[in-house]
Amino acid sequence: MIKEQFYVFIFGTIIYAWFFADALLTGRLFLMGFWSFLLFRKLRFAYRADRWIRLNSK
């Protein structure tokens, strides 16, 4: 992942987390579920990328 892609990935994750927190604190359950699904997908991708990098850097 190049640096520009990483910045876009981080920015997207921050936006998802922001909207998730807003939906959680305002009690909008449908939107909370939607944003949590998208946030979970982003975080799972980050975990897989980190695991792949650690395995291939040895």
Side-chain angles (χ1 to χ4, degrees):
M1 184 180 298
I2 60 176
K3 190 185 329 183
E4 289 81 15
Q5 288 175 331
F6 178 74
Y7 290 145
V8 170
F9 182 80
I10 290 298
F11 183 71
T13 305
I14 290 169
I15 294 297
Y16 288 172
W18 181 283
F19 285 123
F20 170 76
D22 180 54
L24 177 68
L25 294 175
T26 58
R28 299 179 184 153
L29 295 179
F30 176 75
L31 285 176
M32 185 182 69
F34 174 73
W35 290 114
S36 66
F37 171 73
L38 292 178
L39 186 59
F40 178 74
R41 279 186 28 197
K42 279 254 188 208
L43 293 176
R44 189 177 62 177
F45 176 77
Y47 172 75
R48 285 180 169 174
D50 180 60
R51 192 173 59 184
W52 184 80
I53 289 169
R54 288 179 193 264
L55 287 174
N56 290 325
S57 67
K58 291 181 181 181

